[in-house]
Amino acid sequence: MHLIFFLIISFLITNISFAEFVDKVNQSGINFKHINGMQGDYYFPEIMGSGVAVFDFDNDGDLDLYFVQSGHLNNPNDAITDQLYRNDTTKSDNPKFTNVSKKSGISSIGYGMGASTGDINNDGFVDLLINNYGQNAIYINKGNGTFSLLDNSLINQYKSWSVSSSLADYNNDGLLDVYIVNYVDYFANDKVKTCLSVDESKDYCSPQAFSYQHDRLFKNLGANKFEEITSIAGLKSKAGPGLGVVTTDVNKDGLLDYYIANDGEPNHLWLNQGNDSFKENGFMSGLSVNMNGKPEASMGVDVSDYDNDGDEDFFMTHLNRQTNTLYVNNGKGRFTDLSIKMKIGSSSYSYTGFGTMWLDYDLDGYLDLFSANGEVIKNQKQQIAGDAFPFKQPNQLWKNLGNGSFSESSKQQDSSFLQPKVSRGAARVDIDNDGDLDIIVSNNNGTPHLYINKLSQPNNWIGIDLYNKKTKRTETDALIELTQEDVKMFRRVKTDGGYASSNDHRVVFGLNSNKSKANVKVNWRDGSSSIHKNLDLNKYHVIKK
Amino acid sequence: MLSKNNLTLLLISLCFSSLVIAATPDEQPLKPAKLIGANQAMIARHADLFNILSNIPENSSEEKSAAYGRIGMFYHAHDLIQNAEDFYLQAIKNSPYNAKWYHLLAITYVNQGKYEKAIRSVKSAIKNNDYYLPSKIILAETYLQISELEKAIEYFNLILKDNPAEVKSHAGLGLTYLQLGENEKALKSLLKALSIQPSANQLHFQISQAYAGLGDEKNAELHLSLKGDLVPTIYDTILQDMRKETLSSSFYINLALDAFRAKDYKASETLAARAVSYDPKSVYPKFMLANAYVKLNKSTQALKIIDKLISNNPNLSRAYYAKASILEAQNLKPKALTLYKKAVTVNPQDKEAARFYSLALMRNGYYQLALNSLQNAKKLNPDNAYLIYREASILAYQKQCKNSLVKIEEALNYLPSNLVFNSAYIRMVLACSTDTKLLTKIRDIAKDIYYSVPSQNFTKLLAMTEMKLGNKNDAIDYQTQLIFQAYVDKASKQEISALQKQLVNYRNNVMPIITFTKEDSDLNPELPWKF
């Protein structure tokens, strides 16, 4: 009887393809360790962790990693700084990184939270925006492996607590503007506020204990100059404890909109009205609260067309006992929380999710989901076991079944995937340029995860890297439509989304086992489009405008 | 590919299932303090409560179960879900048919996202108590959470069949239909829910979604504008509900009352104090605490609480007669009487105040006033036979034979089997009447009671009655029995001597004189606080 089972299993195994993520951070040369500076005072920023940015800083064709460091809240100049790792990977199963932080010239002091990437000055080199608890900072990439701090920028002139930001061209002028999501007012006297958990022991506060800061929008004027248009844009009308941001064109009017994940309050959808103004339309669109009409503690957010029906859908991560939420687009810019129907809710109920992303990890043409998990309230069992940082949870992965619904596939991964840490920021990245997407995760007060994707039997794929010769940079937020026989998919070029992190700017289309060549139509930001036919599979194509 | 993946996993599971050894945890009795290592601080803060709650009775499984369950509820309210689960399991082990613990266990499973276990547990709750609606709601809602939408619809509909106004089920049904994209059905259910609970703002949001799904933008916008602040919602988390129930004054009041009845006044004091802390504005827990103080001879503290109550609530009649009873026990009778009267004055409709005033008057010998007061008390307590009995007693003491007989018969109409009333009736007839028919009647009453509830009192009354009826030998027989029983009961020499003297009187045809003394109409002072 067992022999029959064994034969059946063997047959099946040799004829199916599945992905397996293996954590290879220990062999990679990455020795970054996030420090939150906790000393038992339960300062609120300590529990938020930080993000990670993925970008090609040296334009050598592979993606490098930037880890945001936090440090000690009471000593922001403690010389513990962010770290930049150059990607020197040559073999697909052997990631290799070199710490080039010192050479880079980045000495980002201050209590770091998140990072965004984009070519702010259109010089062909990707720059960095660091979100801090305190003053934010822009580092301009000089193109020679070094960065310089952009002094006297409006962006670093005020103090706030910002975790995420988005560099996107909201007014279609070819320049990347800056949207900064701000969290809560937590300064000076707030540090002494004591919050208790339900079991009456001291714990981290929730955002509702503080007043909220409104977000800020800076229009890029070129030549490294910005103009703050927060008031004109209408953002001051609604403040919320924002943690995540993603840009997309919800109403398909050609203008980019901003969607903000608010922690414990209704989320905001700022619809671009043109003329530098925005209108908050979260409730009307169905994106503000979950199906029960309750606002959730939203941390991470991502948007993409997960069901390949031509419109983009949102996924958000939340606190435990809230489930993550899937907002499905009805095609007209209206969304419905279908977390239950699509079976993505209940499996996340016990977890607190932060970083998240849509990614087709098995390249079957359907976008799957990842959530970087880690508690914000103490775990009882870990406490009893004497864990000094009892907030650990394993991360999660869900496979898109192709019919709109999901199945959790976390336990099918390598055991290293399930090692619990206090995960926060996460980014999708093809480390080894082999087409299958890997994941980098930043862990609070710990070392990162570098999940390398090992497909057992690789499916076909096409990678697109859009380059605008005029702006000399990636054409962020352009739309790419792919057709292959009767298959049609579209994806938006974006690096924002998730939590406090920045993603691989390239778009990978999974094509399953289909071997036909594919055609691609690019809808550029200026309204023009270009068609590219018969693209070879299993490689990246740089398409230039 | 997915189906192959799942099939693979299934086959692998089957293949190795025979190798899996199921471990059965060794069940040991649980001790609260042992469990929560990391929460010793919390236990220290609640040491007084844990000492009481940890007192697991050894005798009765039901009581043991209740004790474990209460600890579980306390942990549950403090979000120590795993511990709550353990104690609920112990509660169930000791009382496997108690639906409450299955219900609460199901909630702990929902809190942990263990939905399949939650479903099993809540089904057990329903099996043991098919009437408990919250269990059925949890079952339906859990099916919704695990995306078993058809089952969710089935169970919501089952609830609504017997409970057509159950708002959560209408709303739940609406949500399920929204998930399925059946917007018309969703709208019908949601509008029904809203009609039942118009304050549930989040329903407007959901109705808006249903209208939007139907393409009715106008109504979608309208309902969105009505959503308000979206709080409160009818979907407070289950943990919040648990906290409301467990960290509440009423939870501790019930425990305090149990402890009081078990004569554990120290525990009652602790629990009542906790009840007060959870609801400082409520008067009931304060009375409970004062009650416990009195039993612990802490009258000063009891008076302090009651004086504060009076100061904050000058019309709180209960506070006045509560204070009066404490002062009466301290022999401050004039002051006590004044306060009893005050209670009636501030609230003439308080039937307890009327009752206690009249009884206090009686105890202190103000019989005419007591009679007048009893009329008032009877109006407020129309079915209280004891008040009628008190009236009869006073009349008998005042030698108003005819009136006392009328009253005692009236009391007996309410409680024909009451031994106190029957005893008084027999004595009143013996004292007041020579009517053979009446005497025969009371003899028969006495005999019935004598045979069914053997008591010295009724044997004595029987002897007297037979004597009055001229049945001397029967009287002697009953009196002899009394003497014999007195020897068996090791009664005092004086008691036996009195009985023997009465025997001699019967032999000499001497009838005892029946009189009503002040003691007959007395009532031992009691704490007049009913809970």
PDB file of all heavy atoms in Angstrom, chain A residues 273-289:
ATOM      1  N   GLN A 273      -7.465  65.407  -8.911  1.00  0.00           N
ATOM      2  CA  GLN A 273      -8.454  66.195  -9.664  1.00  0.00           C
ATOM      3  C   GLN A 273      -7.798  67.018 -10.770  1.00  0.00           C
ATOM      4  O   GLN A 273      -8.467  67.718 -11.519  1.00  0.00           O
ATOM      5  CB  GLN A 273      -9.180  67.156  -8.725  1.00  0.00           C
ATOM      6  CG  GLN A 273      -9.796  66.491  -7.506  1.00  0.00           C
ATOM      7  CD  GLN A 273     -10.920  65.566  -7.882  1.00  0.00           C
ATOM      8  OE1 GLN A 273     -11.968  65.987  -8.362  1.00  0.00           O
ATOM      9  NE2 GLN A 273     -10.733  64.266  -7.669  1.00  0.00           N
ATOM     10  N   GLY A 274      -6.461  66.933 -10.839  1.00  0.00           N
ATOM     11  CA  GLY A 274      -5.737  67.835 -11.741  1.00  0.00           C
ATOM     12  C   GLY A 274      -5.520  69.163 -11.029  1.00  0.00           C
ATOM     13  O   GLY A 274      -6.077  69.406  -9.959  1.00  0.00           O
ATOM     14  N   ASN A 275      -4.709  70.003 -11.600  1.00  0.00           N
ATOM     15  CA  ASN A 275      -4.425  71.335 -11.003  1.00  0.00           C
ATOM     16  C   ASN A 275      -3.947  71.225  -9.564  1.00  0.00           C
ATOM     17  O   ASN A 275      -4.328  72.044  -8.711  1.00  0.00           O
ATOM     18  CB  ASN A 275      -5.677  72.226 -11.031  1.00  0.00           C
ATOM     19  CG  ASN A 275      -6.083  72.569 -12.439  1.00  0.00           C
ATOM     20  OD1 ASN A 275      -5.225  72.705 -13.322  1.00  0.00           O
ATOM     21  ND2 ASN A 275      -7.375  72.675 -12.673  1.00  0.00           N
ATOM     22  N   ASP A 276      -3.154  70.261  -9.305  1.00  0.00           N
ATOM     23  CA  ASP A 276      -2.544  70.078  -7.979  1.00  0.00           C
ATOM     24  C   ASP A 276      -3.549  69.831  -6.861  1.00  0.00           C
ATOM     25  O   ASP A 276      -3.221  70.031  -5.685  1.00  0.00           O
ATOM     26  CB  ASP A 276      -1.692  71.318  -7.591  1.00  0.00           C
ATOM     27  CG  ASP A 276      -0.521  71.518  -8.525  1.00  0.00           C
ATOM     28  OD1 ASP A 276      -0.143  70.552  -9.224  1.00  0.00           O
ATOM     29  OD2 ASP A 276       0.031  72.634  -8.571  1.00  0.00           O
ATOM     30  N   SER A 277      -4.755  69.484  -7.188  1.00  0.00           N
ATOM     31  CA  SER A 277      -5.715  69.267  -6.101  1.00  0.00           C
ATOM     32  C   SER A 277      -6.183  67.814  -6.062  1.00  0.00           C
ATOM     33  O   SER A 277      -6.186  67.115  -7.078  1.00  0.00           O
ATOM     34  CB  SER A 277      -6.903  70.216  -6.234  1.00  0.00           C
ATOM     35  OG  SER A 277      -7.705  69.817  -7.309  1.00  0.00           O
ATOM     36  N   PHE A 278      -6.576  67.411  -4.880  1.00  0.00           N
ATOM     37  CA  PHE A 278      -7.012  66.033  -4.652  1.00  0.00           C
ATOM     38  C   PHE A 278      -8.293  66.044  -3.830  1.00  0.00           C
ATOM     39  O   PHE A 278      -8.545  66.948  -3.038  1.00  0.00           O
ATOM     40  CB  PHE A 278      -5.928  65.247  -3.892  1.00  0.00           C
ATOM     41  CG  PHE A 278      -4.690  64.993  -4.705  1.00  0.00           C
ATOM     42  CD1 PHE A 278      -3.748  65.989  -4.896  1.00  0.00           C
ATOM     43  CD2 PHE A 278      -4.477  63.755  -5.297  1.00  0.00           C
ATOM     44  CE1 PHE A 278      -2.617  65.763  -5.662  1.00  0.00           C
ATOM     45  CE2 PHE A 278      -3.340  63.513  -6.054  1.00  0.00           C
ATOM     46  CZ  PHE A 278      -2.415  64.517  -6.238  1.00  0.00           C
ATOM     47  N   LYS A 279      -9.045  64.987  -4.036  1.00  0.00           N
ATOM     48  CA  LYS A 279     -10.294  64.852  -3.267  1.00  0.00           C
ATOM     49  C   LYS A 279     -10.290  63.489  -2.600  1.00  0.00           C
ATOM     50  O   LYS A 279     -10.024  62.466  -3.242  1.00  0.00           O
ATOM     51  CB  LYS A 279     -11.474  64.965  -4.224  1.00  0.00           C
ATOM     52  CG  LYS A 279     -12.831  64.863  -3.553  1.00  0.00           C
ATOM     53  CD  LYS A 279     -13.922  64.877  -4.604  1.00  0.00           C
ATOM     54  CE  LYS A 279     -15.235  64.431  -3.986  1.00  0.00           C
ATOM     55  NZ  LYS A 279     -16.245  64.118  -4.972  1.00  0.00           N
ATOM     56  N   GLU A 280     -10.589  63.483  -1.320  1.00  0.00           N
ATOM     57  CA  GLU A 280     -10.578  62.206  -0.593  1.00  0.00           C
ATOM     58  C   GLU A 280     -11.881  61.464  -0.878  1.00  0.00           C
ATOM     59  O   GLU A 280     -12.971  61.976  -0.626  1.00  0.00           O
ATOM     60  CB  GLU A 280     -10.427  62.449   0.906  1.00  0.00           C
ATOM     61  CG  GLU A 280      -9.832  61.272   1.674  1.00  0.00           C
ATOM     62  CD  GLU A 280     -10.792  60.108   1.841  1.00  0.00           C
ATOM     63  OE1 GLU A 280     -11.882  60.327   2.407  1.00  0.00           O
ATOM     64  OE2 GLU A 280     -10.463  58.989   1.407  1.00  0.00           O
ATOM     65  N   ASN A 281     -11.745  60.251  -1.378  1.00  0.00           N
ATOM     66  CA  ASN A 281     -12.914  59.513  -1.840  1.00  0.00           C
ATOM     67  C   ASN A 281     -12.917  58.062  -1.348  1.00  0.00           C
ATOM     68  O   ASN A 281     -13.483  57.174  -1.986  1.00  0.00           O
ATOM     69  CB  ASN A 281     -12.944  59.543  -3.377  1.00  0.00           C
ATOM     70  CG  ASN A 281     -14.333  59.289  -3.913  1.00  0.00           C
ATOM     71  OD1 ASN A 281     -15.300  59.880  -3.456  1.00  0.00           O
ATOM     72  ND2 ASN A 281     -14.441  58.405  -4.878  1.00  0.00           N
ATOM     73  N   GLY A 282     -12.321  57.849  -0.212  1.00  0.00           N
ATOM     74  CA  GLY A 282     -12.163  56.481   0.263  1.00  0.00           C
ATOM     75  C   GLY A 282     -13.479  55.747   0.475  1.00  0.00           C
ATOM     76  O   GLY A 282     -13.654  54.617   0.027  1.00  0.00           O
ATOM     77  N   PHE A 283     -14.401  56.411   1.147  1.00  0.00           N
ATOM     78  CA  PHE A 283     -15.662  55.718   1.460  1.00  0.00           C
ATOM     79  C   PHE A 283     -16.461  55.416   0.209  1.00  0.00           C
ATOM     80  O   PHE A 283     -16.980  54.317   0.038  1.00  0.00           O
ATOM     81  CB  PHE A 283     -16.502  56.553   2.425  1.00  0.00           C
ATOM     82  CG  PHE A 283     -16.136  56.320   3.853  1.00  0.00           C
ATOM     83  CD1 PHE A 283     -15.454  57.285   4.572  1.00  0.00           C
ATOM     84  CD2 PHE A 283     -16.437  55.122   4.465  1.00  0.00           C
ATOM     85  CE1 PHE A 283     -15.094  57.051   5.894  1.00  0.00           C
ATOM     86  CE2 PHE A 283     -16.076  54.886   5.781  1.00  0.00           C
ATOM     87  CZ  PHE A 283     -15.411  55.857   6.491  1.00  0.00           C
ATOM     88  N   MET A 284     -16.547  56.403  -0.644  1.00  0.00           N
ATOM     89  CA  MET A 284     -17.348  56.223  -1.858  1.00  0.00           C
ATOM     90  C   MET A 284     -16.791  55.087  -2.705  1.00  0.00           C
ATOM     91  O   MET A 284     -17.527  54.326  -3.328  1.00  0.00           O
ATOM     92  CB  MET A 284     -17.343  57.535  -2.649  1.00  0.00           C
ATOM     93  CG  MET A 284     -18.533  57.713  -3.543  1.00  0.00           C
ATOM     94  SD  MET A 284     -20.052  57.721  -2.591  1.00  0.00           S
ATOM     95  CE  MET A 284     -21.109  56.891  -3.750  1.00  0.00           C
ATOM     96  N   SER A 285     -15.488  54.968  -2.699  1.00  0.00           N
ATOM     97  CA  SER A 285     -14.869  53.935  -3.518  1.00  0.00           C
ATOM     98  C   SER A 285     -14.937  52.568  -2.861  1.00  0.00           C
ATOM     99  O   SER A 285     -14.713  51.557  -3.496  1.00  0.00           O
ATOM    100  CB  SER A 285     -13.405  54.286  -3.772  1.00  0.00           C
ATOM    101  OG  SER A 285     -12.703  54.240  -2.546  1.00  0.00           O
ATOM    102  N   GLY A 286     -15.244  52.537  -1.560  1.00  0.00           N
ATOM    103  CA  GLY A 286     -15.290  51.266  -0.846  1.00  0.00           C
ATOM    104  C   GLY A 286     -13.958  50.833  -0.272  1.00  0.00           C
ATOM    105  O   GLY A 286     -13.813  49.701   0.184  1.00  0.00           O
ATOM    106  N   LEU A 287     -12.991  51.739  -0.277  1.00  0.00           N
ATOM    107  CA  LEU A 287     -11.639  51.380   0.147  1.00  0.00           C
ATOM    108  C   LEU A 287     -11.296  51.793   1.580  1.00  0.00           C
ATOM    109  O   LEU A 287     -10.206  51.521   2.051  1.00  0.00           O
ATOM    110  CB  LEU A 287     -10.608  52.033  -0.797  1.00  0.00           C
ATOM    111  CG  LEU A 287     -10.422  51.365  -2.153  1.00  0.00           C
ATOM    112  CD1 LEU A 287      -9.561  52.242  -3.065  1.00  0.00           C
ATOM    113  CD2 LEU A 287      -9.766  49.992  -2.019  1.00  0.00           C
ATOM    114  N   SER A 288     -12.211  52.479   2.231  1.00  0.00           N
ATOM    115  CA  SER A 288     -11.843  53.040   3.534  1.00  0.00           C
ATOM    116  C   SER A 288     -11.885  52.049   4.684  1.00  0.00           C
ATOM    117  O   SER A 288     -11.040  52.081   5.558  1.00  0.00           O
ATOM    118  CB  SER A 288     -12.784  54.198   3.886  1.00  0.00           C
ATOM    119  OG  SER A 288     -12.371  55.352   3.239  1.00  0.00           O
ATOM    120  N   VAL A 289     -12.920  51.229   4.655  1.00  0.00           N
ATOM    121  CA  VAL A 289     -13.129  50.329   5.785  1.00  0.00           C
ATOM    122  C   VAL A 289     -13.439  48.937   5.255  1.00  0.00           C
ATOM    123  O   VAL A 289     -13.717  48.765   4.071  1.00  0.00           O
ATOM    124  CB  VAL A 289     -14.301  50.816   6.685  1.00  0.00           C
ATOM    125  CG1 VAL A 289     -13.949  52.121   7.354  1.00  0.00           C
ATOM    126  CG2 VAL A 289     -15.586  50.961   5.889  1.00  0.00           C
TER     127      VAL A 289
END
